[in-house]
Amino acid sequence: MAVKANRYAAHLAVRSKIAAKRWSRRAIFLVGGVAVGAAAVVMAFAADRAQMGFLWALQRAPWLGFVLTPLGFGVATLLARHVFPNSQGSGIPQAIAALQIEDQEKRAPLVSLRVAAGKIVVMTLGLLCGASTGREGPTVQVGAAIMFALGRLSPYRQAGFLLAGAAAGVAAAFNTPLAGIVFGIEEMSRSFEARTSGLIIAAVIAAGLTSLAVVGDYSYFGVTTATLPLGKAWIAVAACAIVGGLAGGLFTRIVTLFARGLPGAAGAAIRKYPVLFAMACGLGVAICGLNGDHSIYGTGYAQARVVVHGDGAIDYWFGPLKFLATTLSAISGIPGGVFSPSLAIGAGIASAFSLVFHSAPLGALALIGMVSYLAGVVQAPITSFVIVSEMTNDHAMVIPLMAAALVANATSKFLAREGLYHALARNFHPAPAPAHPAREA
């Protein structure tokens, strides 16, 4: 009897220990979700104030763009390369690479708190100088970094912490919890892990509630009631999807080409003088900004919102100029995302199509254009239509958006074999160790 009692007591002790570990891990996910939500709010505030400051300066001296933008690009590149390495670009490729790397020490430099802090600072600097970038992609890397740091308290299944941090980052940045979950499944992991799904959802909920408590309940682009009538208007779905998919694929092709290094003398010059190259890109952005009446700078949120609500079409040159400015900002290597600029480019494409497709409401065209271009860039069709549908709370457009996302995704593959984030993630994988030559007998 004593032996059985001892075994039973030992069994209870083991079960209690396991239960305690599970609850502590769940608590860490919830705490991490709150921290990611708070970080997203801070980044949104900093990004908005930076853009407002830059536009305020341009209103007083329009020529300042030709000084501030190239100079800001140069300083941002210096900081990203020498002070905060691995903070370049969107940040989502770093999070994906960290998720794919199994060695804990090798993934740490991609998602450290130092990188997260640098991401926030240098991303804000870029927007303060007129870069055509967004804050949502960087929020993903910051979210992954926060969860990675907390995950060290629970060393089991670190990949789950990274995945939850990235998903919570998207959810908090756009106030789109469903899109955050879909992004984690489709774009980050490319699969669904049943054992971590509940914890990911918990982190997304915590991040969303934190954002909700600070900034209130809102739709990213406001609530819309756009619909697409059956008939000739549906031709616009195919047209927008094909053009948006090709444009997104072209953007991905250009950015990945520069990220891997141009061949020949041009590539050698860029590698030797990266700061000068970044300043040249900044000058190009300033030229685009001047021709676009300063609407080309920044995230493009305000311009996209005007089109989404059907308040009026924007200049038909906005889409191409925003595409060029975003491409220059991306290949320069400065920290900054492409989510918001991609949505703005898609809205610009739709605005131009409104000159042809008079039977399609402008608001509906805008949503289709945004989904099409975003799907062409990231080649994640489900994430693309879910995020646009959720950020406008427009359920009547779900079917057209699904169709546009699928067509754009397929069209994009003619120019880019894989989406932007996964293509760039390869650049952050550690170089394989050199093979040792076989010893002679």
Side-chain angles (χ1 to χ4, degrees):
M1 291 291 292
V3 174
K4 286 185 178 180
N6 290 336
R7 286 179 179 174
Y8 182 70
H11 177 68
L12 284 179
V14 171
R15 290 190 62 181
S16 299
K17 191 174 181 180
I18 293 173
K21 286 184 177 180
R22 285 177 178 171
W23 280 108
S24 66
R25 188 162 177 262
R26 289 167 183 166
I28 291 171
F29 269 82
L30 290 174
V31 171
V34 171
V36 174
V41 171
V42 170
M43 294 175 72
F45 179 83
D48 290 343
R49 292 302 179 274
Q51 291 184 93
M52 289 170 60
F54 181 74
L55 292 176
W56 176 87
L58 289 186
Q59 287 171 2
R60 280 147 183 80
W63 54 267
L64 273 177
F66 289 93
V67 177
L68 291 178
T69 306
L71 185 61
F73 271 53
V75 174
T77 300
L78 273 174
L79 291 173
R81 292 177 67 88
H82 300 292
V83 181
F84 304 108
N86 294 318
S87 67
Q88 302 96 320
S90 163
I92 295 178
Q94 291 92 314
I96 292 175
L99 192 63
Q100 295 170 343
I101 297 170
E102 295 183 1
D103 188 289
Q104 187 81 335
E105 297 306 317
K106 291 181 179 179
R107 66 164 47 135
L110 299 176
V111 284
S112 68
L113 291 179
R114 177 186 175 88
V115 170
K119 196 77 173 187
I120 296 173
V121 171
V122 188
M123 173 213 71
T124 305
L125 173 63
L127 289 172
L128 186 61
C129 297
S132 180
T133 54
R135 60 173 170 83
E136 292 78 17
T139 308
V140 172
Q141 188 179 14
V142 171
I146 291 172
M147 291 298 289
F148 180 77
L150 290 173
R152 289 182 178 273
L153 303 175
S154 174
Y156 302 100
R157 297 180 64 80
Q158 274 288 344
F161 284 95
L162 288 169
L163 192 57
V170 169
F174 286 110
N175 192 34
T176 51
L178 289 179
I181 294 169
V182 172
F183 175 82
I185 295 169
E186 184 185 33
E187 184 65 11
M188 290 296 299
S189 68
R190 297 287 185 180
S191 63
F192 186 78
E193 296 188 57
R195 285 193 289 178
T196 59
S197 61
L199 296 173
I200 292 169
I201 293 172
V204 167
I205 291 171
L209 287 175
T210 303
S211 176
L212 185 66
V214 177
V215 299
D217 189 16
Y218 71 98
S219 294
Y220 189 81
F221 279 116
V223 178
T224 65
T225 57
T227 58
L228 192 69
L230 289 173
K232 292 188 297 182
W234 272 74
I235 301 175
V237 175
C240 276
I242 292 172
V243 173
L246 289 174
L250 178 61
F251 176 81
T252 297
R253 186 70 175 267
I254 294 171
V255 174
T256 53
L257 178 64
F258 275 85
R260 292 169 183 170
L262 292 178
I270 293 172
R271 288 188 293 271
K272 188 175 181 180
Y273 304 106
V275 175
L276 289 178
F277 175 71
M279 294 180 71
C281 290
L283 181 60
V285 172
I287 294 171
C288 292
L290 181 65
N291 284 278
D293 194 25
H294 307 322
S295 64
I296 305 302
Y297 295 115
T299 63
Y301 169 83
Q303 290 74 26
R305 186 183 175 93
V306 168
V307 184
V308 165
H309 286 274
D311 295 335
I314 51 181
D315 189 271
Y316 62 89
W317 279 108
F318 174 82
L321 285 174
K322 188 66 176 173
F323 175 89
L324 182 57
T326 305
T327 302
L328 290 170
S329 298
I331 66 176
S332 71
I334 66 171
V338 299
F339 254 119
S340 285
S342 293
L343 296 175
I345 293 168
I349 293 172
S351 186
F353 269 109
S354 67
L355 300 174
V356 178
F357 297 101
H358 303 289
S359 58
L362 179 59
L365 272 179
L367 299 185
I368 294 167
M370 290 158 65
V371 166
S372 299
Y373 185 78
L374 183 61
V377 171
V378 301
Q379 292 187 8
I382 301 176
T383 298
S384 299
F385 79 74
V386 168
I387 202 169
V388 172
S389 176
E390 195 175 7
M391 68 172 53
T392 57
N393 200 27
D394 192 342
H395 303 291
M397 287 292 296
V398 169
I399 299 300
L401 296 185
M402 284 183 181
L406 291 176
V407 173
N409 179 65
T411 306
S412 173
K413 293 183 184 296
F414 284 101
L415 296 177
R417 290 184 297 177
E418 58 184 341
L420 177 68
Y421 298 138
H422 280 266
L424 294 180
R426 301 181 188 278
N427 296 339
F428 294 98
H429 287 180
H436 295 287
R439 293 183 179 178
E440 294 183 2

